[in-house]
């Protein structure tokens, strides 16, 4: 690689899934990282991935995951593998000294995730999951407003959806509906975002009780393809308010990415919280002190549209840049440790996924924390 790239964190991509195309682009867009190698179980598939995505000819191409992990030049790996393979390959990566950026869901359950986190922690390595929306400047702006006591007030209600109308080919062939590869189905793939949004809105406080709603749909493999859940925070806030949340995730409905947060003083709404409708900018609506006018024939205020630009990097580029900022700090500065924030976010989200799945398995009975 060129001399100008020496300070950049060298990435390897383990697995050539479709989402890897987006992250490969992000790695090369970010200022502090570079794609050094890719690997697939088939050398032909890896070569095809490199060709299809116009990768630099200097990127190393491997026909096995082991070969990439044995490359001493690879400092960090991105893993878009089936969830059932995460614990094996992420632990192996950590044992070989690679920092781990992994696709969500992070594991089949929190026990598997703990195994991965322990491997990373014991080797002084950074862990992060691929929840890109958390890194968008819009998310930062929303959080500023969300926790300004003069604006939203205490959070009373959260509603979040992540749905997509999957094709017959998807239901026939995609790993996300195969019980032996990704048994969490829509709950892990889409519900991860919704449950993560609930935690985010509550500043990562765990709820009191989680209950799957009786609208669960599974396929012939027993994999969830559509479900909803109620998340309740029964411990009152300083004002005496409790918080209720409803999430819905599905491979059976038209595309939606809704997030609504209602507080004691105002509300916040957006319908593209996971992937903004435009890469270069994103918006949300904020309503403060809404009341009905006389005769209840209208509202006294209109929602304020807040636009946040994202000119320098898309959200996935910002995710990679944050991850590699920490990795570079660990590499160059003695005594710098991995940032515990990101593993904690992943673990709490996985705990909520586990709770919904347990509730489904119990016939939609409540699961208490």
């Amino acid at each position: 690689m060129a001399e100008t790239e020496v300070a950049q964190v060298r990435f390897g991509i383990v697995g050539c899934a479709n989402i890897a195309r987006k992250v490969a682009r992000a790695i090369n867009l970010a200022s502090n990282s570079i794609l050094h190698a890719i690997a697939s179980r088939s050398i032909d598939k890896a070569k095809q991935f490199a060709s299809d995505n116009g990768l630099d000819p200097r990127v190393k191409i491997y026909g096995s995951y082991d070969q990439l992990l044995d490359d001493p030049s690879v400092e960090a790996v991105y893993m878009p593998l089936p969830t059932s393979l995460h614990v094996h390959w992420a632990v192996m990566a950590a044992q070989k000294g690679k920092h781990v950026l992994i696709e969500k869901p992070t594991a089949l359950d929190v026990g598997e995730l703990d195994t991965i986190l322990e491997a990373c922690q014991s080797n002084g390595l950074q862990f992060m999951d691929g929840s890109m929306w958390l890194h968008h400047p819009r998310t930062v702006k929303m959080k500023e407003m969300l926790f300004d006591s003069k604006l939203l007030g205490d959070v009373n209600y959260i509603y979040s959806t992540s749905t997509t109308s999957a094709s017959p080919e998807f239901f026939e062939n995609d790993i996300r509906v195969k019980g032996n590869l990704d048994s969490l189905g829509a709950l892990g793939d889409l519900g991860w975002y919704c449950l993560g949004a609930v935690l985010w809105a509550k500043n990562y406080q765990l709820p009191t009780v989680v209950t799957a709603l009786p609208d669960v749909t599974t396929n012939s493999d027993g994999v969830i393809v559509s479900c909803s859940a109620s998340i309740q925070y029964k411990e009152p806030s300083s004002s005496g308010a409790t918080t209720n949340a409803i999430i819905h995730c599905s491979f059976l409905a038209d595309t939606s990415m809704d997030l609504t947060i209602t507080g004691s003083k105002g509300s916040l709404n957006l319908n593209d919280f996971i992937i903004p409708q435009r890469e270069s900018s994103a918006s949300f609506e904020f309503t403060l002190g809404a009341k009905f006018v006389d005769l209840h024939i209208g509202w006294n205020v209109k929602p304020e549209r807040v636009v946040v630009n994202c000119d320098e990097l898309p959200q996935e580029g910002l995710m990679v840049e944050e991850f590699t900022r920490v990795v570079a700090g660990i590499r160059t500065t003695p005594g710098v440790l991995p940032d515990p924030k990101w593993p904690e976010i992943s673990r709490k989200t996985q705990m909520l996924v586990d709770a919904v799945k347990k509730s489904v398995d119990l016939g939609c009975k409540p699961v208490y924390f």
Side-chain angles (χ1 to χ4, degrees):
M1 297 292 177
E3 286 184 308
T4 55
E5 296 166 359
V6 170
Q8 294 175 305
V9 171
R10 295 180 296 276
F11 262 92
I13 294 180
V14 181
C16 295
N18 192 48
I19 187 67
R21 298 171 58 232
K22 186 175 186 177
V23 177
R25 172 178 176 255
I27 290 168
N28 287 328
L29 283 174
S31 62
N32 52 0
S33 61
I34 190 163
L35 183 56
H36 176 81
I38 61 169
S40 175
R41 291 172 297 172
S42 158
I43 188 68
D44 290 336
K45 184 176 180 181
K47 287 179 178 178
Q48 191 64 51
F49 180 90
S51 174
D52 290 346
N53 293 282
L55 299 186
D56 191 308
R58 293 172 295 176
V59 173
K60 292 184 180 295
I61 300 173
Y62 293 117
S64 78
Y65 303 153
D66 291 285
Q67 287 178 313
L68 186 147
L69 296 182
D70 284 335
D71 185 337
S73 295
V74 172
E75 299 174 90
V77 292
Y78 166 64
M79 289 190 168
L81 298 173
T83 309
S84 60
L85 302 182
H86 282 187
V87 65
H88 174 81
W89 290 107
V91 168
M92 186 173 288
Q95 290 171 343
K96 292 180 181 288
K98 318 298 186 188
H99 301 269
V100 177
L101 174 61
I102 202 165
E103 259 313 314
K104 30 57 58 186
T106 55
L108 293 178
D109 56 51
V110 76
E112 285 193 355
L113 177 57
D114 283 344
T115 300
I116 297 171
L117 296 182
E118 170 57 29
C120 289
Q121 184 177 6
S122 62
N123 288 285
L125 301 166
Q126 184 62 48
F127 175 92
M128 182 186 286
D129 76 61
S131 298
M132 302 171 187
W133 76 278
L134 292 174
H135 303 269
H136 198 287
R138 173 177 63 179
T139 307
V140 176
K141 179 63 176 177
M142 289 192 299
K143 193 151 195 176
E144 288 175 0
M145 298 181 73
L146 184 61
F147 294 106
D148 184 336
S149 60
K150 297 177 183 176
L151 295 176
L152 197 83
D154 292 321
V155 173
N156 303 126
Y157 179 68
I158 305 161
Y159 173 73
S160 181
T161 71
S162 180
T163 64
T164 185
S165 182
S167 67
E169 182 184 8
F170 176 94
F171 286 113
E172 184 69 26
N173 300 315
D174 199 276
I175 62 170
R176 287 167 285 184
V177 291
K178 303 294 183 185
N180 62 330
L181 294 175
D182 235 321
S183 59
L184 294 172
L187 173 60
D189 184 48
L190 303 177
W192 181 275
Y193 294 114
C194 303
L195 294 167
V198 172
L199 285 167
W200 172 83
K202 290 295 291 181
N203 207 21
Y204 293 98
Q205 175 190 350
L206 287 171
T208 309
V209 59
V210 171
T211 311
L213 302 183
D215 66 342
V216 181
T217 303
T218 60
N219 66 6
S220 59
D221 226 5
V223 175
I224 295 169
V225 296
S226 183
C227 73
S228 305
S230 164
I231 299 96
Q232 295 177 289
Y233 290 81
K234 293 190 174 180
E235 184 177 337
S237 65
S238 56
S239 68
T242 58
T243 305
N244 293 305
I246 296 291
I247 67 104
H248 178 64
C249 55
S250 178
F251 292 141
L252 303 174
D254 194 38
T255 300
S256 72
M257 298 178 176
D258 299 335
L259 178 59
T260 295
I261 303 169
T262 304
S264 55
K265 299 178 181 178
S267 63
L268 182 154
N269 297 275
L270 62 161
N271 58 12
D272 61 348
F273 86 96
I274 302 166
I275 301 174
Q277 292 168 357
R278 294 179 59 196
E279 187 174 72
S280 60
S281 68
S283 65
F284 62 95
E285 290 188 342
F286 185 80
T287 307
L288 183 63
K291 298 184 183 302
F292 298 127
V293 298
D294 191 31
L295 300 181
H296 288 202
I297 56 173
W299 292 36
N300 65 328
V301 294
K302 289 184 178 180
E304 174 191 355
R305 184 168 178 260
V306 180
V307 178
V308 181
N309 291 324
C310 191
D311 297 326
E312 293 184 10
L313 283 174
Q315 61 181 8
E316 59 272 17
L318 293 168
M319 174 187 71
V320 169
E321 200 155 77
E322 170 61 15
F323 179 77
T324 48
R325 180 191 66 78
V326 180
V327 170
I330 295 169
R331 179 183 64 184
T332 59
T333 309
V336 170
L337 299 174
D339 187 345
K341 166 186 172 181
W342 300 109
E344 180 184 358
I345 287 173
S346 298
R347 191 175 191 278
K348 287 184 174 180
T349 309
Q350 186 76 54
M351 288 174 71
L352 259 64
V353 170
D354 288 6
V356 176
K357 180 66 165 60
K358 183 177 180 180
S359 179
V360 168
D361 293 342
L362 292 172
C364 299
K365 290 193 164 110
V367 174
Y368 293 88
F369 280 84

